[in-house]
Amino acid sequence: MREILLCKYGEIVLKGANKRYFEDILCKELRKRAKKHGNFEISRAQSTIYVKPLDDFCDIDSMYDDAMKVFGIAAIGRAAVCEKDIEDIKRVAKEYIPQFLEGKKSFKVDGKRSDKTFPYNSMDLAQIIGGEILEATRGRVRVDVHNPDITVKVEIREQAAYVHAGQASAAGGLPVGTSGHGMLLLSGGIDSPVAGYMMAKRGVRVEAVHFESFPYTSELARDKVIRLARTIAAYTGDIYVHVVSLTKIQEELVKHCDEDYFTLLLRRYMMYIASQIAAEHDSKCLITGESLGQVASQTMEAIAVTDNAASIPVFRPCIGMDKLEIIDISTKIGTFDISIEPYEDCCTVFTPKHPRTKPVLEKVLVEENKLDFKALADEAIAGAYTIRAEAY
């Protein structure tokens, strides 16, 4: 019996004349991922992508797991392929469906006939195949058309017929790369990996900047961030992480500037440096994990001051979320346990006792002008190095 994956679109169906552009990028992503799992054929028709194994060496289980993380796919069903013949459909349904009904009490069958030349309509299909499944399960499950534990689907399409036990919700969103490139400020905390994931879900190809402060922060802290990048790369694709040292900048801030402004000044350096690196890599926005009011540097006034140092838009997908909502997403995507490992990042070094929560830009600039801002930033950029974080 041949098995296939039916990947259903989400928002792509609403893209009108641009639909093919989104489909092309989505199929390209699936083909790239399929290479790890065997020889698969990727094709599309009727707002569905068909992932078909071409030999017995294909690992359809691992391909299914990988496809579930591809943005642009709303749902995936594992289906058995049948001839467009009612006897073959009945045979396949009796052999294939009972395994999905183990532990279930009820089911129903939905028929869908895209090929109108097929001699049985949708209602006929539901009744016939439902009877076959009842016979195969010998009464262990019953039919419930209103509130079934599982819905079996029989689809008659142009190229073949398919029988499957429903479908599972997948990643959703838009294919990565359809909304441009963004530069994520990736720390070792909970929020920024979630922000990267959420922007990738909206079709943004993500790169990252990570700021370190060796020897005040350790190599373990940097390695933790690379593991975070590799974890979200399962959704976003491989991530290039540009690592920048802020050690000299922080030491100069301590020597020459008012302690209350340390965090704000450091954030301005980060925004400026990230903007310059983004320009070098054709990224059109910065992405941060900030949530309004969560810490002193995330008040409206503080955000306005730090944004002033950026030369491109700053997107904050977590801005209106509370910590528990962010933790829920972090747990779902597998970054939470890594994020809570107790390694310091650069933002915890030289933290002021009384940080300014309602800063005035003019006063911040007075402190900033005590240093040669551009020279220090350019020196940090010149010392940056890049690590490619590939998905686990």
Side-chain angles (χ1 to χ4, degrees):
M1 184 183 305
R2 293 179 295 153
E3 194 174 26
I4 194 171
L5 302 182
L6 302 178
C7 303
K8 306 296 181 71
Y9 302 163
E11 294 180 52
I12 293 177
V13 298
L14 306 175
K15 295 302 179 181
N18 294 320
K19 180 181 173 184
R20 180 169 290 275
Y21 165 74
F22 288 85
E23 289 177 329
D24 287 344
I25 291 179
L26 182 54
C27 287
K28 182 179 179 180
E29 178 65 20
L30 280 169
R31 289 190 184 100
K32 182 175 75 174
R33 294 188 181 223
K35 291 177 182 178
K36 298 181 292 184
H37 309 294
N39 187 19
F40 287 86
E41 177 185 273
I42 311 295
S43 61
R44 65 190 184 213
Q46 299 172 306
S47 297
T48 300
I49 294 179
Y50 299 81
V51 181
K52 177 183 177 182
L54 296 179
D55 56 49
D56 293 338
F57 300 102
C58 292
D59 187 344
I60 197 166
D61 293 330
S62 63
M63 183 65 216
Y64 175 86
D65 291 340
D66 210 349
M68 289 288 284
K69 297 175 181 176
V70 175
F71 291 127
I73 298 174
I76 302 178
R78 296 179 66 145
V81 184
C82 321
E83 299 295 328
K84 287 196 290 184
D85 172 80
I86 193 63
E87 294 303 320
D88 194 49
I89 296 170
K90 286 160 63 174
R91 177 188 64 80
V92 169
K94 290 173 71 172
E95 293 178 9
Y96 184 67
I97 294 300
Q99 62 181 311
F100 299 102
L101 298 176
E102 292 293 331
K104 303 292 191 298
K105 294 181 179 179
S106 63
F107 76 99
K108 76 171 182 178
V109 178
D110 280 346
K112 181 178 180 181
R113 186 183 61 157
S114 300
D115 180 359
K116 302 304 181 184
T117 65
F118 191 74
Y120 298 88
N121 63 30
S122 298
M123 187 172 293
D124 293 336
L125 282 169
Q127 292 175 344
I128 294 169
I129 302 306
E132 294 295 321
I133 293 171
L134 281 174
E135 180 181 326
T137 56
R138 299 178 181 178
R140 292 193 303 272
V141 291
R142 59 184 176 82
V143 173
D144 183 344
V145 298
H146 300 295
N147 189 31
D149 291 336
I150 194 167
T151 298
V152 175
K153 294 183 178 291
V154 182
E155 301 186 34
I156 311 298
R157 294 180 173 248
E158 296 297 330
Q159 60 273 55
Y162 305 94
V163 175
H164 59 96
Q167 54 196 23
S169 295
L174 296 172
V176 170
T178 56
S179 298
H181 290 66
M183 190 66 66
L184 170 67
L185 278 68
L186 182 61
S187 72
I190 296 170
D191 305 337
S192 58
V194 170
Y197 163 86
M198 292 175 69
M199 291 305 298
K201 188 172 183 176
R202 300 311 307 155
V204 175
R205 177 72 66 187
V206 175
E207 289 192 42
V209 176
H210 172 62
F211 296 99
E212 64 179 3
S213 298
F214 187 81
Y216 305 107
T217 59
S218 67
E219 291 184 6
L220 290 174
R222 180 202 60 202
D223 293 344
K224 167 187 171 180
V225 169
I226 301 306
R227 283 187 286 126
L228 285 171
R230 286 178 177 149
T231 301
I232 62 173
Y235 297 89
T236 66
D238 294 350
I239 298 176
Y240 290 92
V241 183
H242 309 287
V243 184
V244 180
S245 173
L246 292 180
T247 304
K248 184 173 181 179
I249 290 172
Q250 289 179 289
E251 290 174 342
E252 291 298 306
L253 288 173
V254 170
K255 290 178 186 177
H256 300 288
C257 300
D258 185 333
E259 179 186 347
D260 293 355
Y261 290 92
F262 283 179
T263 300
L264 288 164
L265 294 171
L266 187 64
R267 292 290 298 173
R268 283 178 56 82
Y269 271 104
M270 289 179 177
M271 290 296 191
Y272 177 82
I273 291 169
S275 294
Q276 300 306 304
I277 293 174
E280 293 176 8
H281 296 274
D282 198 32
S283 290
K284 305 302 183 185
C285 72
L286 302 182
I287 305 163
T288 80
E290 291 163 305
S291 173
L292 188 63
Q294 187 173 165
V295 295
S297 64
Q298 295 175 16
T299 63
M300 285 189 183
E301 294 86 352
I303 288 172
V305 165
T306 55
D307 274 9
N308 176 262
S311 57
I312 54 178
V314 183
F315 292 160
R316 297 177 170 89
C318 301
I319 194 71
M321 301 171 67
D322 64 36
K323 198 67 177 183
L324 290 178
E325 291 173 311
I326 297 171
I327 287 172
D328 284 345
I329 297 174
S330 178
T331 301
K332 182 183 79 170
I333 65 177
T335 57
F336 179 73
D337 288 341
I338 303 173
S339 292
I340 61 174
E341 291 176 4
Y343 303 120
E344 290 187 332
D345 62 32
C346 67
C347 293
T348 62
V349 178
F350 307 123
T351 303
K353 295 178 181 178
H354 305 289
R356 298 279 177 160
T357 59
K358 295 186 177 181
V360 176
L361 179 60
E362 289 74 14
K363 293 183 179 180
V364 174
L365 292 176
V366 168
E367 293 298 317
E368 186 172 276
N369 288 334
K370 293 177 180 178
L371 306 176
D372 190 337
F373 182 93
K374 188 173 185 305
L376 285 170
D378 288 348
E379 184 179 348
I381 293 169
Y385 59 95
T386 301
I387 299 172
R388 180 177 179 176
E390 301 180 23
Y392 285 116

